[in-house]
Amino acid sequence: MSGACGVKSANYMYNVAPKDGSVLAMLNPGASMVPLLRKGQKAIRFKTRDLNWLGTASVRTYTIAFWHKSPIHTVEDLKIRQAIMVTSGRSSMSYLIPHFINAVAGTKMKIILGYKGGGAMNMALERGEGEGRGNFYSGFTGVRPHWIKDKKIRFILKLGPDRPEVKHVTHLRSLMKTDLQREMFDLLDINLQVGQSFFLPPGVPKNVVETMRTAFVNMTKDPITIADAKKRRVPWKTRTAGQIMAQLDKGWKTSPEAVNKLRQVLGFDKALKMKKKKKK
């Protein structure tokens, strides 16, 4: 159920889906902190911490990558020269993360909206319409592995859990200069630490939830499943329901100052003010 980068399906699961364990969903990685960062917006009709979490099949490294013909080689280059980034929309991580980097690190990425999915963004780089994009590292290994092998792209920054192939790449947190910036980054990074997590709606009987959680853990340890993930070049870094909830609790313990500042940086408070103004 696509729509609003995961918000539509989360709203459905929270308010409409049967509460008998027959329907489960995967949360978009960028949606886990939405109820906190977009508090007060009527379009957000779910509470992340009230969902019955089953686990995460994989948490993945997120990267900021540039086409090999781009003159961008380092973060310092991004501070000197404007670089064209491609993305789908303002709710996507490929928009929000570069936008955040511009605000806190002084980079000059110009973000072009309107591309219909990752395939269109990749074609934009190949055609020279854009220079770079944000994407999971496994997003490249899954559909454009030759880009990495043939050095068609170069990785400038990374976020989230690390992986050996990009060990040398600068982690975005290292660019944060103040405690407030680090707290803002950690809140944004929780989306990646939670990853693509599976859940049941609130209200599902406890025994059903526990049975499903056990089944999910067994699935993540199954040799056939692990082999299939390896074949598909998908990283296999799982998380339990308890680990997911610990990350979410960490997010909600973020200081109000950092939450409000991140809202401001990402433009969420501006969107809320504009909606209220239109109603008046």
Side-chain angles (χ1 to χ4, degrees), residues 121-168:
M121 293 182 219
N122 290 337
M123 289 180 65
L125 299 191
E126 292 174 327
R127 290 195 298 256
E129 292 176 8
E131 296 175 65
R133 62 165 299 200
N135 192 18
F136 291 103
Y137 184 84
S138 60
F140 291 121
T141 62
V143 298
R144 293 289 198 281
H146 63 282
W147 278 12
I148 298 172
K149 180 182 177 182
D150 299 337
K151 297 184 179 179
K152 293 291 186 181
I153 52 173
R154 63 177 70 99
F155 299 99
I156 304 300
L157 284 167
K158 65 184 176 185
L159 302 83
D162 209 350
R163 58 183 294 164
E165 298 93 330
V166 289
K167 188 176 182 180
H168 64 286

Side-chain angles (χ1 to χ4, degrees), residues 117-254:
M121 293 182 219
N122 290 337
M123 289 180 65
L125 299 191
E126 292 174 327
R127 290 195 298 256
E129 292 176 8
E131 296 175 65
R133 62 165 299 200
N135 192 18
F136 291 103
Y137 184 84
S138 60
F140 291 121
T141 62
V143 298
R144 293 289 198 281
H146 63 282
W147 278 12
I148 298 172
K149 180 182 177 182
D150 299 337
K151 297 184 179 179
K152 293 291 186 181
I153 52 173
R154 63 177 70 99
F155 299 99
I156 304 300
L157 284 167
K158 65 184 176 185
L159 302 83
D162 209 350
R163 58 183 294 164
E165 298 93 330
V166 289
K167 188 176 182 180
H168 64 286
V169 176
T170 301
H171 200 288
L172 179 56
R173 197 178 195 277
S174 68
L175 302 183
M176 304 297 103
K177 298 185 182 303
T178 66
D179 288 341
L180 178 61
Q181 286 185 349
R182 282 184 281 273
E183 196 173 7
M184 290 164 60
F185 170 82
D186 289 342
L187 179 55
L188 187 64
D189 195 59
I190 284 172
N191 290 307
L192 298 169
Q193 301 300 335
V194 169
Q196 290 168 299
S197 305
F198 290 80
F199 65 93
L200 297 170
V204 174
K206 187 176 180 179
N207 66 313
V208 175
V209 173
E210 292 304 320
T211 298
M212 295 283 277
R213 283 177 178 167
T214 299
F216 190 91
V217 171
N218 290 341
M219 179 274 295
T220 63
K221 295 178 179 179
D222 179 65
I224 296 176
T225 306
I226 295 171
D228 190 40
K230 185 177 180 180
K231 182 179 178 181
R232 294 167 182 264
R233 298 184 292 274
V234 175
W236 202 244
K237 291 187 177 181
T238 63
R239 294 288 185 269
T240 65
Q243 289 172 319
I244 294 169
M245 290 185 285
Q247 285 291 334
L248 296 176
D249 287 342
K250 178 182 173 183
W252 260 265
K253 289 177 182 177
T254 303

Side-chain angles (χ1 to χ4, degrees), residues 31-37 39 46-50 187 190 245-256 259:
S32 59
M33 290 293 107
V34 161
L36 176 62
L37 290 171
K39 187 177 181 180
F46 71 98
K47 296 180 180 179
T48 316
R49 292 187 295 173
D50 288 352
L187 179 55
I190 284 172
M245 290 185 285
Q247 285 291 334
L248 296 176
D249 287 342
K250 178 182 173 183
W252 260 265
K253 289 177 182 177
T254 303
S255 71
V259 172

Side-chain angles (χ1 to χ4, degrees), residues 5 86 104 108 159 188:
C5 291
V86 294
V104 300
K108 298 180 179 181
L159 302 83
L188 187 64

